[in-house]
Amino acid sequence: CYICLPLLAHGEALGTLSLQAPEATAGGHVDGDRRSGDQMVFYSAVAESLALAVSNLRLRETQSRLTMRLYRSNHHPDD
C-alpha cells in the first residue's frame, strides 16, 4: 500500500512524500488501505518535519544569495 502525504510549510506546498506502508497490522491482519491512527500520526509527523527542513534550506539559500549580492554591491559599486 502506498501513502502520499503533502509537504506543507508556512502555507506553501513543497511537494509530496510517498511511502510504501506495510500491509499487515501488528496482529498480522491485512487491513488494505486503512492505516492505524498511530501510523498516520507518525507518517504525518515525518512529512511535517521533512517539509520544514526543505523550507529552512530554501531560506538559507535565499539568505546566502542576498548576502553575496549585498557584499558585491558594497565592494564593487557600479559608479
Side-chain angles (χ1 to χ4, degrees):
C1 176
Y2 287 93
I3 297 173
C4 292
L5 297 167
L7 298 179
L8 304 170
H10 310 290
E12 181 183 2
L14 303 174
T16 58
L17 174 64
S18 298
L19 302 169
Q20 183 175 359
E23 292 292 332
T25 62
H29 302 292
V30 175
D31 65 349
D33 290 335
R34 292 178 298 170
R35 298 283 125 213
S36 75
D38 289 344
Q39 286 175 319
M40 289 307 298
V41 168
F42 174 74
Y43 298 149
S44 295
V46 169
E48 182 179 351
S49 295
L50 183 58
L52 288 173
V54 169
S55 180
N56 285 339
L57 284 172
R58 286 182 174 183
L59 287 172
R60 284 184 187 191
E61 288 174 3
T62 299
Q63 180 183 17
S64 179
R65 281 193 305 270
L66 291 174
T67 299
M68 289 303 294
R69 185 181 298 165
L70 181 61
Y71 176 81
R72 288 180 189 142
S73 70
N74 286 334
H75 289 83
H76 302 288
D78 294 334
D79 297 304

